[in-house]
Amino acid sequence: MILDTKPLVEINQYALRLLYKEMGVVDAIRFLRQYTSGFGDYVQERDALFGEKTLDEIIAEMERQHIHQ
């Protein structure tokens, strides 16, 4: 018995269409994100971005940048 196998890309596209149809795009993406791993080093990136700033300082900086946009 010989089975026809579909290319993996075709199977993935079909699965995504099913997920989107049955769950909606947002919930399908949330579901899929739990199976993907991030990349990089969050702690190192956080330290490079914020250093020793307090939460209040970060918020104030965000508010200043928002005003200037």
Side-chain angles (χ1 to χ4, degrees):
M1 177 167 139
I2 298 175
L3 297 175
D4 260 347
T5 57
K6 296 178 183 177
L8 190 54
V9 70
E10 188 177 323
I11 293 168
N12 287 337
Q13 290 171 344
Y14 177 71
L16 286 174
R17 282 193 303 272
L18 285 175
L19 285 172
Y20 293 160
K21 179 182 175 188
E22 294 299 320
M23 300 176 70
V25 174
V26 172
D27 285 342
I29 291 171
R30 289 182 66 210
F31 171 76
L32 292 169
R33 287 191 59 145
Q34 68 184 335
Y35 297 104
T36 59
S37 60
F39 56 91
D41 183 341
Y42 167 74
V43 174
Q44 184 179 20
E45 291 174 16
R46 182 196 62 207
D47 290 344
L49 284 172
F50 305 118
E52 298 295 320
K53 293 179 184 175
T54 66
L55 181 57
D56 288 335
E57 291 170 327
I58 294 168
I59 291 171
E61 186 176 325
M62 291 170 60
E63 289 171 344
R64 281 193 303 273
Q65 289 178 3
H66 180 70
I67 291 171
H68 296 308
Q69 289 184 359

